Amino acid sequence: MFVTDRVKVRIRCRKCGEKFVLRGRREKDKIETGFKMCICSNRDDFEMDLEA
């Protein structure tokens, strides 16, 4: 059985500055939110922070 923590993740696009706040799951060293692409079509250049 896997132990997962639900976390709130703040994502900021470094190209256009758009911000998103999503809930995700933390499994070991990886965080999965399901976020794929910004509204400006950016798929790679993001700043991700965990919120308390």
Side-chain angles (χ1 to χ4, degrees), residues 17-44:
E18 188 70 33
K19 296 177 185 174
F20 305 91
V21 178
L22 303 169
R23 281 183 278 174
R25 294 178 190 261
R26 179 173 28 191
E27 295 179 8
K28 297 184 181 180
D29 295 333
K30 186 177 177 182
I31 299 169
E32 181 59 45
T33 63
F35 185 80
K36 301 291 184 209
M37 180 174 65
C38 181
I39 59 175
C40 71
S41 299
N42 175 17
R43 293 180 184 255
D44 302 314

